[in-house]
Structure formats: C-alpha cells, structure tokens
Amino acid sequence: MSRSNKLHSVAAIFDNPDKVIFAAEKVRDEGYKKFDVNTPYPIHGMDEAMGLGSSKIGFVTLFFGLFGGAFILLFMWWSLALSYPLFIGGKPFFSLPAFFPITFETAVLFACVSTFIALITVFFKLPFNNHPLHDTDYMKQVSVDKYGIYILLEDEKFDKDKIIELFNSLGASSTELIYQPKEEKYSMFQPKYLIFLVFLAVGTSASTYLMLNKLMYINPFNWMEFQEKLNPQESSLFFADRRSMRTPVNGTVARGFIPYPYKGIANPKEVLSNPTLPTTSFLKLGKKKYLTFCSPCHGNFGEGDSRLNGQFPNGPTFHSDKVRNFKDGMIYHIITNGQNSMSAYDRQISREERWAIVDYIRVLQRAKNAKNSDLEEIKKEPSTND
Amino acid sequence: MTNNDTGYIKRTLPKNVGKLGIILFLVGAITGSVGFFLDPARASYSYLNSYLFILSIAVGSLLLVAIEYAANATWSTPFRRMSEFLASSLPLLILLVIPLLLNIQNLFLWSHSEEVAKDHMLQAKSVYLNTPFFSVRVFVILLIWSLFYYLIVKNSRQQDETGDLLMTKKNNKLSIIFIPVFAITVTLQSIDWIMSLESRWFSTMFGVYLFAGITCSALAALTFISVMLKEKGYFHPKITKDHFYSLGTLMFVFICFWGYIAFSQYMLIWYGNLPEETFWFMQRWKGGWKIVSLFIIFGHFLVPFSVLLSHPSKTNFKKLKFISIWILAMHFIDLYWLIMPGMNGNGLNFSFSWMDISFLVATIGIIIYMFNRMFEKYNLIPVKDPKLQRGLDFHL
C-alpha cells in the first residue's frame, strides 16, 4: 500500500497486557478521546481502562429480536389461522404453545443475524476495507504477540511530539507514525474488467446448467413423477374396451353434492320444506343473490318489470296470488329446475343461496302486502336502515 | 502457591443475627407444631413445602460449590464460602425429614394399602412407591449429600490453614463425582416428594424442572447475601461490580433455563393431549389455582427476565437485592403450586393456611442461624485458596 504524507495516527507497541492497560488508563486520563487499543486477544478490564461505556449493540439485538418474534407470530397467525387454516392434531388454528418454539427461534435468528450485520456495517464500516492500519508494522506485531495503542489525528488534543513522549514515558517498546494510504482509483468500465464480467456470467450459468441438469441429475425416486394411475382420456389395456374412464356405479354421488329428488319434474306433487332460518345475515345474502341473478327479469322488487326491454320474455311478478301461495319449496324447485322459458339455476347458485333467495322473495311479498298492524310491529323494533 | 496477603479481615455479624435466627425458628416451630395437632394433613403438606424450600437452597448451594471446583472457575472463588455456609443446613435435613416420614400417610395416596388394592396403576407402581423403600431412599440420598458436603467443606476449610493445592485437586475430583450423583438423586427426590403426591401423574422432565428451580433459588440466596454483606462492608473490598455482574448473569441464565424447561414440560403435555397427563395442568388452571399459575408465569420468568436483561441492572445492588428475594419467593410459590393441589387427592380448590407461613418462618430461621454460626467460626472467603487472587482480580 503506498502512503501519502497525510498523518492518520500515532501508534505505540507495548510488550505485555498490564502495560497496555496502564497505558490505556493514562491516555484516557490525559483527556484523549479518539484512540483505540489493538491486542491479539480480548483483555479483561480493557473496557473500563479505556473508559468505554456499555456497547449500544445490545439495542440493535433487542429491537430485532422483538421484531423477529412479532413478525413470525403475525406470519403464523396469518398463514395458519387466516389464509390457509389447517387442522393439526385437533388444536385451535391459532394455538400459542405450538407457536412459541418457532417464535423463540426466529427471534434469536433475527437478533443474531442483525447483530452481526450491524456490527460489520455500522460499527466496523464494512464496505470500507482500506483501513490505514492495514499493512503496517504496528498491525503485524499486534496481531501476533504485542499490544498496541494508537491515537487518531482527529483527536482535539492531538500533538505528535507530545503523544510520542507520553507513549515513551508509559514504557512503549516502539512508536510508529501511521500515514493515510494514497487514494487509488479504478475505472468501472475498463474493457478488461467488462470482458471478465461477461465471461464470469456465461461461465457460471453454463457450469451451473451442466452441473444441475447433466452431471448431477440423479432421480433418487421417481414414484411421484411416474405414478401408477391413469389420467383422463388415456387408454388402458386393462379393460376390454380399452378406456380408462369408467361410468360410475349407479347411485354414485359426487363429494359435497346432494342430489335433488324432483329434478326434471315439471309440477312436482310435493316439494322440499324450507330448512333455513330467516336471520338478518341470511336475508342479506338472499338480497345480494336475488339482485344478481333474478332482478334482471323479475325486477328489483319482484314486480315483473324486467330491465331486458323485451329481448326475453318478461319474468312474471311475484306478487300474484299464485306465487304468494307457492310453498317455499316450490320457489326453490323453480330456481333449481327452471320452468318453461326460465332456465335452471342450480349450477350457478348453491343450495344455501337458493334458500336465501326464497326467504328474500318472501320478504318482498310481505312488504308489498303490508298490514296496518305491521307498522306497530316496526315501531316496536329498533330501526335498521337495511 | 500460598497467598496470605489478600487483605481480608475476619469479622463477626452483629449478635442480633443469631438471635433473630433462633426467634424465627422458635416462632415457626411452635406454631407449626400446634398446626400438627389441629390439622395434621394440612400441616404435613405445609411442612413438606418448607422442607423442600430449605432443601433447595442447601443442596443447590452445594451444587454451586461443586460446579466451581469442577469447572476450576476463578471469579466465583471469593463467593464460594457463602455457598458453603448456605449448604450447612444439609446434615440437619436428616433430622428434619423425620416428621415427614411419620406423616407419610397424610401425604401419599400410595402409602394406604387399601387404596393400592383398589387401583391397578398404584399396584403397578408399588414396586417403587412403598413406604419402606421410600424411607430408605430418602435417608440414603440425604446421607450421600451430607457426605459430599462434609468432604468438600472439610477440604476447603483445611486449605485455609495449610494452603495446600492438593485440597483443590481433591475437591475437584469430589465435585466431578458429585455432579452426576446430584443429577440422579435430585431426580429421584423430585419424583418421591412431589410427583408421587399425585401418584397417577408422570412427566419425564420433572427432575430437570425441580433442578432449574433449585439452582435459581441457590443463586438468588447467594446473590442476596453477598450483596447485603458487600453493602454492610463485611465482604472483601476487591469484590467489584464485575463479580456481581457475573452473579446476575448466572441468575439470568438459570431463569431462562427454568422458563425453557417449564414451557417445554407444558408444551409436550399440551401437544400429546393425553388425559392421564393433562389433568395435572387442568387442575392448576381451575379456580384460584389459575391465578397462581399465571402469577408463576409472570413472576418466575417474565419479571426476573426483564429486570435482569439489561447490562446495568446486573450491577445495580438495589435491583439485585430485590430480584434475588423475588426469585426466592417465587421458588417457594412454585413449590406451593407443585405440592398443594395434590392435597386430599384431587379437586381441592386453592386455599391458604397460616401453617404454610409458620414453617417457612422456621426454615428462614434455620438458614439465618446456621449462616451466622458458620460466619462466626470460619473465614468468609477461602483465604489460602490458590484461585483466590485471580478471583479477586477478576474483571470483565
């Protein structure tokens, strides 16, 4: 490293740890602030001798430890209780005891890694790797078997000769002036460097590709890649007709599917009875589905005032005596099965939603045919806007 | 290797200390004996609670001494005598256990032959849990502990006169034997005295759990006494805050260890969710016990953890004194929480009795009295221990 003639610090070498502790105490007492000690191993009592307070790094650790713990707890809550709830051992989705170990581990991980990163970046100023002490006789000695102190130029009381005198009086075996290294600049865009980068990029990609796909491609097991099953539309030698897709046994019911007994019957003699309760939230669901699916033809209030302007036969009103006398199950039947020109809605609307629509139609009918006594009823109840 | 110039001057504690010990002991012992007449069942439980408290401090202190010898630690050498003093009630435990063995029928379901005849589980366990084997076990373990106490302390005291390095070496060997022996015996004691109170329950971690509590309480007792003596000027002037920092750190470590073990024991049982294990925790989550359980989570772990977390608080005498007394109290409450719900079989709600306190008072009296006696007779620091000077010079 070539040096400029700008001074960086004055350094002194001591032969044993007692001397360097004593020297550090004296340097501190003389009022120097910007100095540091280099020793081959940590020396007990040095913090106090140098007058260092307790390190601030603990706060970094504390903050990131707490942050990591809180983060992972929230993450587990979100992923295991909110976004993708899974039953594990019959425990509640958010079960704290099971999350504790992970919270603890993550808190420790965050604390350690952040402490390390903070140490090398904030405290050791990492990207800066050109410390003037590097490559000096002083550094060579203190990293083997000697103990050293140096006082920086920036110190308010800095005076080269006085410091050397002080060091000598403290029993230094040698002193050394340390100069700033000359600034050396390299251009980013030297052709050599760019070519090197290109080769590096191509080389790494090519070798990684070859390594992973050719040389190291070993399939430890293949029973997930090639499973013993037939995909739809595949042929099979097993059956005489060589089809892999078989017709299900009569009466097979698909998962989650409950067959509707009156499917395809135009005027069923009997219908289902309504299994639901008209709670507020259920009626709200019914209103939503009604406005989506039924209102274009039957009108927002079921009065048969279609918005389709004659492009399709208007749906009749629901306030006719006929519809008012329908059983709940009959309306359900019409939605499920369709009627003449009205098509079936069982594919678009789930069973529960169909019953909700039925309940909502009952509400519309009741509202159209309100009695005076209803007003009394409404007055009694606390008013709700919807 | 002799070292006489340690600057230690032997002094004695004020006369009142010994008297205080005797008075506390008498008050506790007399009220406690009355308790044995009025309600022998309750008194037995309260007695067991306090007995295990003094046992924790005594055998825990012996363990600290052994760890110091085994690890060749130097920073703690000036503190070793205090642990030796605190362990001095160990031989007394052989006498103190007699009332418990006389009341064995009041404590353990398995000691009733008619109950054992009814219960298949108890029959299966009766190979281990039967009165003769139990009593022999308890005496043998106490004798082993007292023997180690006697040997280690004898060597340590002899060194005060001769300064012989051989004593340190001997004690090093003794300690290395004692530590595994302690691990096994303390596990057996935890099973015998506490786990078998609810004879159907079992937890494989229970020995470690008690060990964690024992070590916490022994360290807390040591810290409290050394801080007191330091403040009053009895302790060596070269003992600095760095020494106390190390004590505080050790306490912090064992509080974390306790929390870790307590949680692990709970979590395994919670996860396994087997009725024969969970009932033990369920019972401690009912009625008044729920408050005690919550209090232990906060008081035995979170409070000491947060108080001892920061660097300066471990050198702050006020905080150290507060937290060591707090940890001792929490260990007592922890034992209470372990023992009392098993009273009269299961299902008894939380209840408090004056007897719980009177035996505790007697126990504290014994500890103070024994400490004072030892303090009068022997040096507070091992004056000729070859490690002493390095211990006094200890810096962070």
Side-chain angles (χ1 to χ4, degrees), chain A residues 126-302:
Chain A
L126 181 70
F128 172 73
N129 63 354
N130 202 18
H131 199 284
L133 285 182
H134 284 181
D135 220 5
T136 57
D137 278 346
Y138 168 81
M139 193 36 98
K140 278 173 202 156
Q141 294 182 59
V142 298
S143 47
V144 183
D145 60 353
K146 292 286 191 298
Y147 311 84
I149 295 190
Y150 66 94
I151 300 179
L152 285 165
L153 183 68
E154 288 101 72
D155 197 283
E156 279 174 13
K157 295 187 67 184
F158 189 86
D159 180 338
K160 195 172 70 181
D161 301 325
K162 264 196 190 164
I163 292 177
I164 291 179
E165 206 175 292
L166 173 70
F167 281 158
N168 284 331
S169 74
L170 292 172
S173 62
S174 66
T175 55
E176 187 179 338
L177 295 178
I178 289 166
Y179 290 96
Q180 295 279 10
K182 270 207 186 105
E183 266 189 49
E184 296 173 32
K185 279 195 176 163
Y186 300 98
S187 161
M188 274 282 279
F189 299 106
Q190 284 174 2
K192 261 190 191 170
Y193 179 61
L194 290 181
I195 292 173
F196 166 73
L197 278 187
V198 170
F199 266 100
L200 194 69
V202 173
T204 16
S205 329
S207 56
T208 318
Y209 176 81
L210 282 176
M211 198 65 176
L212 293 182
N213 288 302
K214 304 290 168 208
L215 290 177
M216 272 176 46
Y217 186 75
I218 307 164
N219 214 352
F221 53 84
N222 61 7
W223 38 258
M224 280 188 83
E225 203 171 341
F226 306 104
Q227 298 180 14
E228 295 222 354
K229 67 164 193 195
L230 291 166
N231 291 329
Q233 315 288 352
E234 248 176 17
S235 69
S236 151
L237 292 177
F238 186 79
F239 299 106
D241 61 1
R242 302 194 53 189
R243 288 169 191 238
S244 63
M245 294 164 84
R246 317 302 302 170
T247 336
V249 184
N250 264 351
T252 308
V253 172
R255 245 169 205 259
F257 177 80
I258 299 177
Y260 181 62
Y262 312 114
K263 188 74 188 169
I265 304 171
N267 269 312
K269 295 236 165 53
E270 48 185 7
V271 290
L272 297 181
S273 57
N274 190 345
T276 60
L277 281 176
T279 58
T280 318
S281 63
F282 198 62
L283 289 175
K284 269 186 193 156
L285 175 72
K287 180 177 180 183
K288 190 165 167 233
K289 295 294 160 187
Y290 176 86
L291 289 176
T292 310
F293 288 105
C294 319
S295 71
C297 298
H298 290 279
N300 284 346
F301 302 101

Side-chain angles (χ1 to χ4, degrees), chain A residues 52-69:
Chain A
L52 301 176
S54 62
S55 166
K56 298 274 171 297
I57 190 77
F59 290 104
V60 177
T61 316
L62 180 69
F63 175 78
F64 280 98
L66 292 176
F67 173 78

Side-chain angles (χ1 to χ4, degrees), chain A residues 44-45 91 95 97-98 100-101, chain B residues 263 266-267 270-271 273 309 395-396:
Chain A
H44 288 298
K91 305 289 185 213
S95 43
F100 258 25
Chain B
F263 175 72
Y266 171 76
M267 193 189 77
W270 171 85
Y271 236 130
N273 211 4
L309 184 62
H395 278 288
L396 281 180

Side-chain angles (χ1 to χ4, degrees), chain A residues 45 73 77 105-106 128 302 358:
Chain A
L73 206 58
W77 167 74
E105 302 286 342
T106 316
F128 172 73
V358 171

